[in-house]
């Protein structure tokens, strides 16, 4: 299998870090993969093989002989009718992701993907990061709708990864949760990791990754609350796990304990969750961007059912 030789200039955001840590973040490879490349002499600077203990400097030129991809098949093109592009220029594209579309290809997923849909529509996507996740700097679950940024150039990819790591991208979600949140605003600071017994789920655990969620109730209904959610961190299933841990699971989210009867009455077959707003400075030009995606039809229809005639 052919292997790609990539030459990169160390961004300021990782200056001073050990080479294994820096490349894990810049290239999107696992630390194990980076360490293996270092041990094999496949990472060099100024013609010298680098060691795990070496620290990088801003602007340092590094050559990496990337590992052969596990799957050399091209990313499947998955045309998606009605794909909504909210913002597009030479460096990034922001879409309003529909429900039922995954961020990128993964084992077992047979449906459309954001990467596959954009490529099918003729968009150029950055080649940085793992091949199957090209251009993806943050993800939304297949069952979550709303705004998602994809990098079109390697420079934009590296800068956006740095911005998300430093919490320089503000993300606002709206969620409909069971019960009345009390207090009406607050911060959920609870570490998250994989569920110890169920691989498809995540859970609040003592040794998990730092996860911080801020919320504010927008409106109380008879037995549910519409809340605005802002993430300080972005872990897998973070919003769903955090509200479930407070005994206020998202309406329709039966994976995390939602009442299936209520979900059926509100015609929700997926978690009531939407990535509504993104606020950030453009990774290349620095121009301030504030983007909004309206609720999709299924969430609008669900809200229309919020009456005493529907809710118990």
């Amino acid at each position: 299998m052919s292997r790609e030789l990539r030459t990169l200039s160390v961004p300021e955001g990782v200056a001073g870090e050990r080479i294994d840590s820096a490349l894990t973040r810049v290239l999107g490879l696992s630390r194990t993969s980076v360490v293996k490349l270092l041990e094999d002499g496949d990472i060099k600077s100024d013609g010298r093989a680098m060691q795990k203990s070496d620290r990088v400097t801003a602007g340092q030129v590094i050559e990496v002989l990337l590992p052969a991809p596990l799957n050399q098949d091209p990313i499947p093109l998955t045309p998606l009718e009605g794909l909504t592009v909210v913002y597009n220029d030479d460096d990034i594209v922001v879409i309003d992701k529909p429900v039922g579309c995954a961020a990128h290809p993964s084992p077992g997923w047979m449906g459309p993907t954001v990467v596959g849909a954009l490529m099918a529509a003729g968009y150029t996507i950055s080649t940085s990061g793992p091949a199957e996740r090209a251009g993806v700097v943050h993800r939304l679950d297949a069952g979550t709708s709303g705004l998602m940024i994809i990098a079109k150039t390697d420079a934009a990819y590296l800068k956006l990864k740095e911005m998300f790591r430093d919490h320089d991208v503000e993300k606002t979600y709206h969620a409909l949760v069971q019960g009345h949140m009390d207090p009406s605003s607050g911060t959920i600071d609870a570490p998250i990791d994989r569920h110890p017994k169920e691989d498809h789920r995540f859970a609040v655990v003592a040794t998990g990754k730092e996860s911080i969620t801020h919320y504010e109730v927008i409106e109380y209904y008879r037995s549910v609350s519409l809340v605005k959610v802002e993430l300080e961190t972005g872990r897998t299933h973070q919003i769903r796990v955090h509200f479930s841990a407070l005994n206020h699971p998202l309406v329709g989210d039966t994976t995390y304990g939602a009442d299936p009867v209520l979900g059926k009455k509100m015609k929700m077959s997926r978690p009531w969750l939407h990535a509504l707003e993104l606020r950030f400075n453009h990774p290349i030009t620095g121009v301030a961007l504030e983007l909004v995606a309206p609720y999709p039809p299924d969430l609008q229809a669900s809200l229309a059912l919020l009456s005493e005639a529907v809710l118990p």
Side-chain angles (χ1 to χ4, degrees):
M1 295 183 181
S2 61
R3 297 173 62 187
E4 176 187 354
L5 179 64
R6 182 171 298 179
T7 301
L8 59 91
S9 177
V10 174
E12 291 186 3
V14 297
E17 292 190 13
R18 281 180 26 151
I19 180 65
D20 55 345
S21 174
L23 288 188
T24 294
R25 294 206 277 122
V26 170
L27 293 175
L29 298 173
S30 69
R31 189 181 294 268
T32 301
S33 297
V34 173
V35 169
K36 178 68 165 55
L37 293 176
L38 287 165
E39 292 174 345
D40 291 345
D42 291 336
I43 299 176
K44 298 180 179 180
S45 183
D46 290 331
R48 179 185 66 86
M50 300 189 71
Q51 306 299 314
K52 285 192 296 183
S53 58
D54 289 346
R55 295 187 179 273
V56 298
T57 58
Q60 180 179 2
V61 177
I62 296 176
E63 292 184 341
V64 182
L65 184 60
L66 295 173
L70 296 177
N71 180 5
Q72 295 206 323
D73 294 334
I75 293 175
L77 301 184
T78 54
L80 191 60
E81 186 176 349
L83 178 69
T84 303
V85 174
V86 177
Y87 179 89
N88 178 52
D89 63 21
D90 291 340
D91 300 291
I92 64 172
V93 57
V94 181
I95 68 161
D96 181 359
K97 189 188 82 67
V99 66
C101 177
H104 54 72
S106 61
W109 177 257
M110 304 301 292
T113 66
V114 169
V115 174
L118 285 172
M119 293 177 67
Y123 289 86
T124 300
I125 305 298
S126 166
T127 57
S128 292
E132 72 280 3
R133 301 183 185 181
V136 174
V137 292
H138 71 126
R139 290 179 289 175
L140 295 178
D141 296 340
T144 301
S145 55
L147 294 173
M148 185 173 162
I149 311 171
I150 299 89
K152 297 173 70 175
T153 64
D154 291 355
Y157 177 88
L158 294 175
K159 182 61 177 178
L160 282 168
K161 292 292 283 188
E162 178 184 321
M163 290 168 64
F164 273 98
R165 185 195 72 236
D166 295 340
H167 314 308
D168 291 334
V169 179
E170 297 179 43
K171 299 167 284 184
T172 298
Y173 296 74
H174 280 191
L176 193 68
V177 305
Q178 293 182 191
H180 282 185
M181 296 294 300
D182 185 17
S184 60
S185 63
T187 295
I188 308 168
D189 185 353
I192 290 174
D193 214 329
R194 288 198 174 273
H195 193 285
K197 297 181 180 179
E198 300 179 62
D199 288 343
H200 68 289
R201 294 181 60 191
F202 289 74
V204 171
V205 292
T207 58
K209 299 176 181 178
E210 179 188 35
S211 305
I212 302 174
T213 301
H214 307 287
Y215 75 88
E216 179 181 347
V217 175
I218 300 172
E219 188 165 356
Y220 288 115
Y221 296 92
R222 189 175 181 197
S223 61
V224 297
S225 306
L226 181 63
V227 296
K228 178 175 77 171
V229 182
E230 295 187 342
L231 298 183
E232 189 169 318
T233 57
R235 306 301 180 201
T236 304
H237 294 188
Q238 179 171 321
I239 295 174
R240 299 166 63 187
V241 173
H242 272 174
F243 282 97
S244 176
L246 295 182
N247 296 316
H248 293 285
L250 275 59
V251 171
D253 193 3
T254 53
T255 298
Y256 289 104
D259 179 1
V261 175
L262 176 61
K264 186 175 181 179
K265 287 183 176 179
M266 296 194 64
K267 299 184 179 179
M268 287 305 302
S269 57
R270 54 108 164 184
W272 205 111
L273 180 63
H274 182 66
L276 185 80
E277 298 179 12
L278 282 173
R279 294 174 298 280
F280 61 100
N281 293 332
H282 191 283
I284 304 301
T285 67
V287 172
L289 296 173
E290 185 169 340
L291 306 173
V292 179
Y295 295 158
D298 66 329
L299 300 189
Q300 293 184 41
S302 178
L303 285 181
L305 295 172
L306 287 173
S307 69
E308 293 188 8
V310 173
L311 295 182

